[in-house]
Every structure is written in C-alpha cells, then in structure tokens.
Amino acid sequence: MQYIILDLEWNTAYSNKLGHFVNEIIEFGAVKLNDRFEITEDFSSFVKPQIEKKLRTRVKNLTNISNEDVADAETFDIVLEDFTNWVGDPENTVIMSWGDMDIRVLIDNCKYFNADDPHIPFVKYYVDLQAYFMQEKELPKGQQISLSNAASLINADCDEFMLHRALDDSELSSVCFKAVYKKDSFKHAIITCDDDYYKRILFKPYVISDINDKLIDKTQFCCKCVECGEMADQISDWKFSNSSFHAMFTCRDCNKKYRVSVQFKKTFSQLNIKKNVVEVKK
Ligand SMILES: [Zn+2]
C-alpha cells in the first residue's frame, strides 16, 4: 500500500450556469508516503480558474496565491489527469485529507467539469485524517480541529510550513498523521469509495416543509400539558415557517396555552425530529 495526503485550495466562484457559488479548485498539493510513512514524492500544481477568473480577496489573503500564479496554469481536467497519473493504481492507494471538505470540493469540480459525473478517478480507499486524528486524541465530537491546532497539540513546529498552501498543508498533515497512527484503528478508518459512498456524500440534508410528506411522523403533532400530563387540545392549524411546523394548544383544565414547534430533517440515513413546547402567558 502507498499513502497519499492530498490538500486543495479553492476560490469561491459564482457559476451563472448553476445559479450558485462553487468552490473552484485553484491548487493541488500532495505527498506520497511509503509503508514507513516517509515522504517519497510530492505533487504541486496550480489550476487555472474557469468559472471566475479573478480570485476573491479573502482567498488571496488566506493562501497568498495571486491571479498571476493561476492565470497561466493548466485547467482542471489536465491537472486532474496529471494527478491521477501521479497517484498510479488506486487499488493500491489510500488517499487521505484533513477533513472531507477536500473530497466534497473535488466531487463538485468533477461534476462541474465532467458532465455531472461525480466520480474522482484516483480515489478508491479514503481516510478523513481530521476525524482519525480526533478519534485517536479522544477529542470531543462535533467540533473540528484545524490543522494548525492539531500540529500545536502534538508540538509540531509549524514555522517551517506555509499554512493554507496545498503542498505545505499536506506535509504538515503527514506529521500529524504519523503522530497518532495505530495499525489497528487505522485499518477501521479506511472507507471504500463505492456507489454507496457517493450516494451518501452527495445527499443534501433537507427540512421537510410539506405536511403531507410521507416521511413525516404524524404522531409528533400533539402536545401534553406540562402541568397535568393530559393531552392538550389543538386550537390552531399547523403552519410551516422558519424550518418548523407550529401550532397552538390549550389545556382547559389547567388554563394553560402552549406553542408547539416540530422540525423534521431528513439526512441520508435517518429522520431527525426536534420538538419544542413553550407555554404562552395569557
Ligand atoms: Zn393540564
């Protein structure tokens, strides 16, 4: 097996074709590691932007990449082909990146420039290095540690790296990787990027706004009186606003009035329900 740590930089570009913003890749950087996790080769290339030619000021400041740097570079499809050739056999390669945002952006760029085909030609096995690092360091789930904070945590010297540049970030990621690597846990962190993986990563979670949607759990449309525990009476229709359904309820025995909010959010694997009961003072 060989291990490749990939890092991308991108510009926020508005696509007239799609009618929304796209993270357009402007730089590829990567290091290849052998079985002992020593760097054996590296890859670094700018990408000529095509969706928006000029880089955002925020992007220029963050990355130190200039319009001149990318103006004469090869376009995405050429750099992708070069990179795929550099990777070699995907069956024999584990691709890693700091957080899965790089993979999401790659998928978006592949789709955009390759007739809506989301497949990344060089990825068969993948590890989210940020998630793996956090797991091994037993950091709380839900918040994401930045690469520079991870480097500080293991007392790595960041001074020799230019942060937010693709090749330097991938080199620094390799330092963080080596510091937490354990054979057994790493095996379990490897994801196979099959059709199911693409379905999962392409799925956009959404809030259900149609009350007749079959996915809705109608048993949630009720309210128990906080005071007596009996079912309260509904006194207004369910209305959808601010991502939730709302209705008013009353318990006549206790002379209480309640505003109930229920939200149904569909993710790839489940339906998340958030319910809120607030007493309204008369
Ligand atoms: Zn009551």
Side-chain angles (χ1 to χ4, degrees):
M1 270 292 176
Q2 61 172 2
Y3 306 89
I4 287 175
I5 302 179
L6 167 69
D7 188 80
L8 305 167
E9 304 303 327
W10 54 79
N11 186 40
T12 316
Y14 187 80
S15 161
N16 288 320
K17 190 173 85 180
L18 299 178
H20 59 74
F21 285 94
V22 176
N23 291 317
E24 183 173 22
I25 295 170
I26 54 170
E27 191 183 35
F28 272 69
V31 289
K32 213 177 252 188
L33 311 176
N34 61 18
D35 286 339
R36 293 189 300 278
F37 305 123
E38 298 153 342
I39 296 177
T40 56
E41 280 177 62
D42 59 37
F43 184 100
S44 177
S45 178
F46 289 122
V47 182
K48 181 183 187 156
Q50 298 171 83
I51 305 174
E52 258 191 55
K53 301 243 184 310
K54 294 268 185 283
L55 305 178
R56 307 263 155 188
T57 308
R58 187 182 53 79
V59 173
K60 284 191 282 192
N61 291 342
L62 183 73
T63 62
N64 275 312
I65 297 174
S66 68
N67 287 317
E68 293 72 36
D69 286 333
V70 292
D72 297 326
E74 300 289 359
T75 53
F76 178 76
D77 51 336
I78 306 280
V79 179
L80 182 69
E81 198 182 328
D82 288 350
F83 188 76
T84 303
N85 289 333
W86 180 78
V87 169
D89 183 7
E91 292 285 344
N92 191 35
T93 306
V94 177
I95 301 283
M96 299 186 254
S97 65
W98 194 262
D100 72 356
M101 190 60 189
D102 291 77
I103 292 294
R104 292 173 184 277
V105 170
L106 252 176
I107 288 175
D108 283 349
N109 280 244
C110 286
K111 276 177 76 177
Y112 190 92
F113 292 113
N114 197 14
D116 221 29
D117 180 359
H119 288 90
I120 307 168
F122 58 83
V123 182
K124 176 77 196 285
Y125 302 110
Y126 172 71
V127 170
D128 176 347
L129 215 49
Q130 184 187 49
Y132 181 65
F133 184 93
M134 291 181 65
Q135 175 195 307
E136 293 305 301
K137 283 284 176 190
E138 294 177 359
L139 299 175
K141 282 180 185 160
Q143 60 202 58
Q144 295 177 333
I145 188 170
S146 70
L147 180 57
S148 55
N149 285 343
S152 317
L153 205 63
I154 57 159
N155 298 316
D157 184 10
C158 288
D159 292 347
E160 55 181 304
F161 298 99
M162 197 144 127
L163 290 171
H164 300 296
R165 283 303 297 275
L167 181 57
D168 284 63
D169 277 3
S170 63
E171 283 172 6
L172 187 55
S173 300
S174 79
V175 175
C176 294
F177 170 55
K178 267 192 275 191
V180 298
Y181 171 81
K182 286 191 204 79
K183 195 177 173 185
D184 281 344
S185 64
F186 185 70
K187 256 194 311 202
H188 293 292
I190 299 174
I191 293 167
T192 303
C193 300
D194 51 13
D195 287 349
D196 205 54
Y197 172 79
Y198 280 94
K199 260 186 228 160
R200 183 176 289 272
I201 202 161
L202 287 164
F203 186 87
K204 303 240 185 308
Y206 65 94
V207 167
I208 298 174
S209 61
D210 177 3
I211 201 158
N212 296 314
D213 195 303
K214 284 191 174 61
L215 290 171
I216 280 185
D217 174 8
K218 289 232 160 78
T219 63
Q220 296 293 333
F221 288 141
C222 64
C223 171
K224 247 186 201 159
C225 173
V226 176
E227 195 79 10
C228 67
E230 295 296 316
M231 281 305 196
D233 298 323
Q234 188 175 348
I235 51 172
S236 80
D237 289 340
W238 288 99
K239 284 202 177 71
F240 183 82
S241 69
N242 289 329
S243 310
S244 298
F245 295 99
H246 309 274
M248 300 299 297
F249 285 76
T250 185
C251 177
R252 290 182 175 99
D253 294 341
C254 304
N255 196 26
K256 300 263 184 204
K257 209 169 163 187
Y258 300 104
R259 180 179 156 87
V260 180
S261 309
V262 194
Q263 184 188 81
F264 301 95
K265 192 169 189 182
K266 179 76 180 88
T267 67
F268 180 78
S269 53
Q270 61 188 13
L271 183 71
N272 294 333
I273 301 170
K274 259 197 248 167
K275 187 168 174 180
N276 224 340
V277 178
V278 181
E279 189 185 337
V280 181
K281 299 280 178 225
K282 291 188 186 175

